[in-house]
Amino acid sequence: MTARAKADHGSAASGLHLQMSKLLISCLIVAIAATGALVVTLIVGFPERPGPPPGIPGVPPGPPPNFQGVAVLVVVTGMFVLAWLAVLVAFSRDQILSRLSPERDGTVDEEQMKDLLDEVRTALAADREREWQAISERLAEYGEQRETDGYLNGMRVATESQPVDANVRSIRRPPAQR
């Protein structure tokens, strides 16, 4: 691929290249079916049924409203939204993949992939080792600080002029003397 072809990739002059994958096509079919189901549900579920206005004396009230149609409409609308969202995600995925590897045409060199994976594994191992060293240093500093604080606190208690009346009770009772 030349430098000019890379510069023209995705520009208005070269046109929009629509990558149609199997996932995008299947999502489009499902989305179109969901749109049709929504339209049919709207037409069948809510026909024009004008009734008498409420509160007219002498006219009996109409039947109670049927909420089953509303429930079906909510479910079909949810399917409609999710189907078109899936189309959007699949389209975005295909565009990103086509921008990441415009020269590959779907083929992957196995040796290059192994080399890239080895580089990533090496980098991850080095990062893990650095993080382990940093955590070990922090733990050592924390341990030293706790040890020093304990020693200083013990020295303060030992040098106090007044004896400390500690009310210490053992957990176990001493054996009874017979």
Side-chain angles (χ1 to χ4, degrees), residues 42-167:
L42 285 173
I43 292 171
V44 172
F46 299 102
E48 290 292 325
R49 285 185 257 156
I56 297 180
V59 178
N66 184 7
F67 291 114
Q68 184 179 7
V70 175
V72 170
L73 179 67
V74 168
V75 170
V76 172
T77 304
M79 290 172 37
F80 169 81
V81 169
L82 288 176
W84 282 106
L85 184 64
V87 168
L88 180 67
V89 169
F91 177 75
S92 300
R93 171 192 163 267
D94 291 346
Q95 291 300 312
I96 289 170
L97 288 176
S98 69
R99 297 250 177 154
L100 287 178
S101 59
E103 69 274 353
R104 285 204 177 165
D105 298 332
T107 61
V108 177
D109 186 20
E110 194 171 322
E111 285 299 317
Q112 286 179 340
M113 188 61 71
K114 286 182 181 180
D115 292 340
L116 286 173
L117 285 175
D118 288 339
E119 288 176 19
V120 169
R121 287 182 184 128
T122 305
L124 285 174
D127 287 344
R128 196 176 310 123
E129 184 62 32
R130 277 194 304 269
E131 289 173 0
W132 179 251
Q133 290 295 330
I135 289 172
S136 298
E137 289 172 6
R138 286 186 203 163
L139 282 174
E141 289 174 12
Y142 178 74
E144 289 173 8
Q145 183 67 37
R146 293 288 295 172
E147 185 178 351
T148 303
D149 289 345
Y151 176 77
L152 292 175
N153 190 28
M155 292 301 289
R156 268 189 238 114
V157 169
T159 58
E160 286 182 353
S161 60
Q162 301 170 355
V164 177
D165 183 26
N167 189 6

